[in-house]
Amino acid sequence: MVVGILGGGQLARMLALAGYPLGLNFIVLDPAPDVCAAPVAEHMQGDYDDQALLAELAQQADIVTYEFENVPAQAVAYLADKVAVYPPPQALAAAQDRLNEKTLFRRLGVDTPDFVAVNSLEELQQAMDQVGWPAVVKTRTQGYDGKGQAILKRPDDLAPAWQSLGGVPAIVEAFVPFAREVSIIAVRSTTAEVVCYPLTENSHRDGVLRLSIARPDDPMQGQAASYAARLMKELDYVGVLALELFQADNRLLANEFAPRVHNSGHWTQDGAATCQFENHLRAVLGLPLGSTDAVGHSAMVNLVGTIPAQADVLVNSHAHLHLYGKAPRPGRKVGHINLCAESRAALEAGLKRVLALAGE
Amino acid sequence: MVVGILGGGQLARMLALAGYPLGLNFIVLDPAPDVCAAPVAEHMQGDYDDQALLAELAQQADIVTYEFENVPAQAVAYLADKVAVYPPPQALAAAQDRLNEKTLFRRLGVDTPDFVAVNSLEELQQAMDQVGWPAVVKTRTQGYDGKGQAILKRPDDLAPAWQSLGGVPAIVEAFVPFAREVSIIAVRSTTAEVVCYPLTENSHRDGVLRLSIARPDDPMQGQAASYAARLMKELDYVGVLALELFQADNRLLANEFAPRVHNSGHWTQDGAATCQFENHLRAVLGLPLGSTDAVGHSAMVNLVGTIPAQADVLVNSHAHLHLYGKAPRPGRKVGHINLCAESRAALEAGLKRVLALAGE
């Protein structure tokens, strides 16, 4: 069985590593000459909208999935005509546009911060009366890792912010004074079976995820799982989905979802009975889903721009290193460290050392 | 960092899968055209004693290890002149010859069944007075998975047995009426740090391992670990070593050791804090060793000659499938299933279903 993946980055690499034990083989399609999934997958180099390549991929792969959501919708539609593509194209379309995404959340009763669509500086100025200060303006499409957004604190910020985003269609959202950011990693199978991992608490810096801590038995688990289940049912979803949320008081407000395996689910590689990568593959292949039970207490620390000496990481008992085979560059995610412990206290003690190694 | 592996079978495949997260890349040298490590490693096809290939491997790899012990000793010696090779060549030499191996055990105070070296049918006949009936005659070299041996129950068996082994130098051993077969998987680092996994209880059929059950807190753990430590110290060992033992009453008798990762350690992939494959790589690379703690209760069932439907395996909660990418043939190991449970009772209940799937 051959799985095709659009994108050949670290998520594709980790999908492949999790998939070989299931007897799978992998092809990744990626325009970059040197992708980090290449040592563990066949690399088809070319553009995502190269129809000849897409046709070849459809012929060689039994199923196609993707590791990032900015694949052109028409490429996915073209593929989906020829081969099974999961998650379904409508999930990709919803995730690619922040206005569609937030509108969908609202329609499903999934709470969100207040938001207004804006297509000009004038509309942005008018929208501020509705959403209030401070606020965040975001491009509708192509944003990731904090890119494509600007914070608005006072009227003077509006014109430079609008210019910095390039004057493209955007949405402006109320800035939520959140107590914490969390995410729920959910999985839905072809038979509509849904399982969720324990809620994960996330910390970002400069728009990039730095730390995720799994919180088994979190009081907000039920609400987050219910949001994810509504969304996946509506989209007739198959695969892993990550829903990012802000918690303010006892409310969860949906920020965005990713129709794929997610950085905040990497701790499951060492801290759950079945990792998110294997469960994504099980789901898209129509196999029974694996247990999402946490094993002990776990956290993940991203390595951004720097790789500590392997020995300094591995000397920490129960630390697991996951490198992506990438050369370090400032701001580039080059790996992560998972830390697993028997108690929350032991986890926190170990975490201090691991955060220091990651330069946090 | 590039790791070269002599042999490109399932052990090489699983070493590579465990090694990518550490940032490693892999080259396997194997004469077969189609090896199951090929999708996850560069495959150098050629004979183990092809000096040009060995020189190329030494140049491209930062370190070389092996996944099976019947690599020609002179090939390893040639390599070891050019690049670091672990486990050390003297460990390979000791494991390749049953007479040297058992003599070494004796010298180190590691108990063994009675044995006598025999080089002719006449010597075999004489040796029976010493070892008694029944007994097992084994070729000194090249035996694995029950091949190269014959059981001796009465004098009439001697001539056919001798002939079946091809008249090569052999040893004859007393047949031990053992209560169980166990193995200890031990790891020794370049700094002489030694860690052991929990003792594993093994069941064979037709000379092939079928079932391994991890036994944390087994009363024989200390004795087995002490045997392994003595052996590794004597050989100045680096890497994973598997020592197979018979238990008769409260004594452990060493049967043989393998200077590599071992089938009876596969449960560690899902049932230990760090798996044997990662710990082997950590050891040979001079990195700190990972925790060998068991996580819950685990067992491994080999898939021999047959691959059950994936869904039938994965529907069992906490069952993990590990396929090797091999076509099934009678008697061929094509994969294994690891089963993990929170209690020994739950493990045994699940094991019945998994054994049935494997045709056991």
Side-chain angles (χ1 to χ4, degrees):
Chain A
M1 185 80 95
V2 176
V3 175
I5 306 177
L6 299 178
Q10 63 260 27
L11 300 180
R13 176 179 163 111
M14 291 186 278
L15 280 167
L17 290 174
Y20 280 102
L22 299 176
L24 308 175
N25 285 299
F26 293 87
I27 302 174
V28 299
L29 173 60
D30 196 300
D34 191 22
V35 294
C36 65
V40 294
E42 186 189 324
H43 177 202
M44 264 185 197
Q45 197 196 334
D47 289 329
Y48 294 121
D49 50 9
D50 179 330
Q51 290 206 346
L53 264 192
L54 290 171
E56 196 185 330
L57 179 64
Q59 193 172 26
Q60 289 191 33
D62 298 288
I63 195 159
V64 172
T65 187
Y66 32 84
E67 62 132 34
F68 84 124
E69 59 270 41
N70 289 323
V71 181
Q74 64 270 36
V76 174
Y78 179 82
L79 262 176
D81 254 4
K82 301 176 187 301
V83 64
V85 176
Y86 291 120
Q90 67 271 23
L92 195 70
Q96 282 180 343
D97 184 316
R98 291 183 193 280
L99 179 61
N100 294 351
E101 185 183 29
K102 288 254 170 23
T103 306
L104 174 65
F105 286 152
R106 282 277 169 92
R107 182 158 59 80
L108 297 174
V110 173
D111 287 346
T112 68
D114 285 337
F115 67 88
V116 176
V118 289
N119 294 303
S120 65
L121 176 57
E122 202 166 34
E123 285 183 16
L124 176 59
Q125 285 160 335
Q126 289 163 1
M128 292 311 295
D129 293 340
Q130 192 175 332
V131 300
W133 301 87
V136 189
V137 59
K138 302 175 176 179
T139 57
R140 281 177 56 175
T141 61
Q142 299 293 338
Y144 68 98
D145 280 356
K147 294 179 177 67
Q149 50 185 275
I151 293 175
L152 308 172
K153 290 183 182 162
R154 51 178 179 272
D156 284 354
D157 292 340
L158 294 183
W162 184 252
Q163 198 169 17
S164 76
L165 299 187
V168 296
I171 69 171
V172 58
E173 300 176 7
F175 182 85
V176 178
F178 57 83
R180 57 175 186 160
E181 291 178 90
V182 298
S183 59
I184 185 99
I185 308 290
V187 200
R188 190 168 183 267
S189 74
T190 51
T191 57
E193 179 191 357
V194 172
V195 292
C196 290
Y197 288 95
L199 201 72
T200 304
E201 209 173 290
N202 303 317
S203 307
H204 293 76
R205 190 162 56 75
D206 302 333
V208 177
L209 180 67
R210 304 289 166 153
L211 167 67
S212 291
I213 304 178
R215 295 297 188 201
D217 308 317
D218 193 279
M220 303 309 285
Q221 178 78 25
Q223 191 178 337
S226 158
Y227 282 177
R230 266 179 256 175
L231 187 59
M232 293 197 299
K233 186 179 179 194
E234 172 68 17
L235 296 168
D236 199 12
Y237 199 85
V238 174
V240 162
L241 177 145
L243 177 60
E244 293 189 75
L245 305 136
F246 300 120
Q247 181 175 352
D249 302 319
N250 279 323
R251 279 176 76 207
L252 290 179
L253 303 176
N255 179 32
E256 61 182 32
F257 79 94
R260 53 166 168 81
V261 289
H262 193 258
N263 197 165
S264 69
H266 290 358
W267 65 268
T268 63
Q269 291 173 308
D270 299 292
T274 316
C275 75
Q276 65 166 347
F277 301 98
E278 178 173 340
N279 256 338
H280 181 74
L281 294 168
R282 289 193 190 202
V284 302
L285 291 164
L287 294 169
L289 302 181
S291 164
T292 52
D293 290 352
V295 179
H297 296 258
S298 300
M300 182 226 56
V301 175
N302 264 344
L303 298 173
V304 181
T306 180
I307 299 177
Q310 291 167 311
D312 291 344
V313 175
L314 299 176
V315 76
N316 292 282
S317 189
H318 301 284
H320 295 273
L321 182 60
H322 295 267
L323 296 178
Y324 308 152
K326 285 172 160 182
R329 275 206 306 259
R332 190 181 207 196
K333 289 181 186 170
V334 289
H336 64 272
I337 298 169
N338 287 337
L339 191 66
C340 304
E342 282 180 20
S343 69
R344 192 158 160 172
L347 179 67
E348 279 163 14
L351 207 42
K352 277 189 194 162
R353 293 190 297 276
V354 170
L355 282 167
L357 285 170
E360 295 296 317
Chain B
M1 185 80 96
V2 176
V3 175
I5 306 176
L6 300 177
Q10 64 261 27
L11 300 180
R13 175 178 164 110
M14 291 186 280
L15 281 167
L17 290 175
Y20 279 103
L22 298 176
L24 308 174
N25 284 298
F26 293 87
I27 303 174
V28 299
L29 172 61
D30 195 301
D34 191 23
V35 296
C36 64
V40 293
E42 185 189 324
H43 177 202
M44 264 185 197
Q45 196 194 336
D47 289 327
Y48 294 120
D49 50 9
D50 179 331
Q51 290 204 346
L53 264 192
L54 290 171
E56 195 185 330
L57 179 64
Q59 195 172 24
Q60 290 192 30
D62 298 288
I63 197 161
V64 172
T65 187
Y66 32 85
E67 61 133 34
F68 84 124
E69 59 270 43
N70 289 322
V71 180
Q74 63 270 34
V76 175
Y78 178 82
L79 262 176
D81 254 4
K82 300 178 189 301
V83 64
V85 177
Y86 292 120
Q90 65 270 22
L92 193 72
Q96 281 179 342
D97 184 314
R98 292 182 191 281
L99 179 60
N100 295 352
E101 183 184 30
K102 287 250 166 34
T103 305
L104 174 65
F105 287 152
R106 281 277 169 92
R107 183 158 59 78
L108 298 174
V110 173
D111 287 347
T112 69
D114 285 337
F115 67 89
V116 177
V118 291
N119 294 301
S120 66
L121 178 56
E122 204 166 33
E123 285 183 17
L124 176 59
Q125 286 160 337
Q126 288 162 359
M128 293 310 296
D129 293 339
Q130 195 176 327
V131 301
W133 301 89
V136 189
V137 60
K138 302 174 175 179
T139 56
R140 281 178 55 176
T141 63
Q142 299 292 338
Y144 68 98
D145 279 355
K147 295 182 177 68
Q149 50 185 275
I151 293 172
L152 308 171
K153 290 183 182 161
R154 49 180 181 274
D156 284 355
D157 292 340
L158 295 182
W162 185 252
Q163 199 168 17
S164 76
L165 299 189
V168 294
I171 70 170
V172 59
E173 300 175 7
F175 182 86
V176 178
F178 56 83
R180 58 176 185 158
E181 291 178 271
V182 297
S183 59
I184 184 101
I185 308 290
V187 200
R188 190 169 183 268
S189 74
T190 50
T191 57
E193 179 191 358
V194 172
V195 292
C196 290
Y197 288 95
L199 202 71
T200 304
E201 210 173 289
N202 303 316
S203 306
H204 293 76
R205 191 161 55 75
D206 303 334
V208 177
L209 180 67
R210 306 289 166 151
L211 168 66
S212 290
I213 304 179
R215 296 297 190 202
D217 308 316
D218 193 279
M220 304 309 285
Q221 178 78 22
Q223 192 177 338
S226 158
Y227 281 177
R230 265 178 257 176
L231 187 58
M232 293 197 298
K233 186 179 178 194
E234 172 69 17
L235 295 168
D236 200 14
Y237 198 86
V238 173
V240 162
L241 177 146
L243 177 60
E244 293 188 75
L245 305 135
F246 301 120
Q247 180 174 352
D249 302 318
N250 279 323
R251 279 177 76 206
L252 291 179
L253 303 174
N255 179 32
E256 63 183 30
F257 79 93
R260 55 167 167 80
V261 289
H262 193 256
N263 198 166
S264 69
H266 289 359
W267 65 268
T268 63
Q269 292 173 308
D270 299 293
T274 316
C275 77
Q276 65 166 348
F277 300 98
E278 179 174 342
N279 255 337
H280 181 72
L281 294 168
R282 290 193 189 202
V284 302
L285 291 165
L287 294 169
L289 302 181
S291 164
T292 53
D293 290 354
V295 178
H297 296 258
S298 300
M300 182 228 54
V301 175
N302 264 342
L303 297 173
V304 181
T306 179
I307 299 178
Q310 290 167 310
D312 291 344
V313 175
L314 299 177
V315 77
N316 293 280
S317 188
H318 300 284
H320 295 273
L321 182 59
H322 295 267
L323 296 178
Y324 307 152
K326 286 172 158 181
R329 276 205 307 260
R332 190 182 208 197
K333 288 179 187 171
V334 288
H336 65 272
I337 298 169
N338 287 337
L339 193 66
C340 304
E342 281 180 20
S343 68
R344 192 158 160 169
L347 179 67
E348 279 162 13
L351 208 41
K352 276 190 194 159
R353 293 192 297 275
V354 170
L355 284 166
L357 285 171
E360 295 295 315

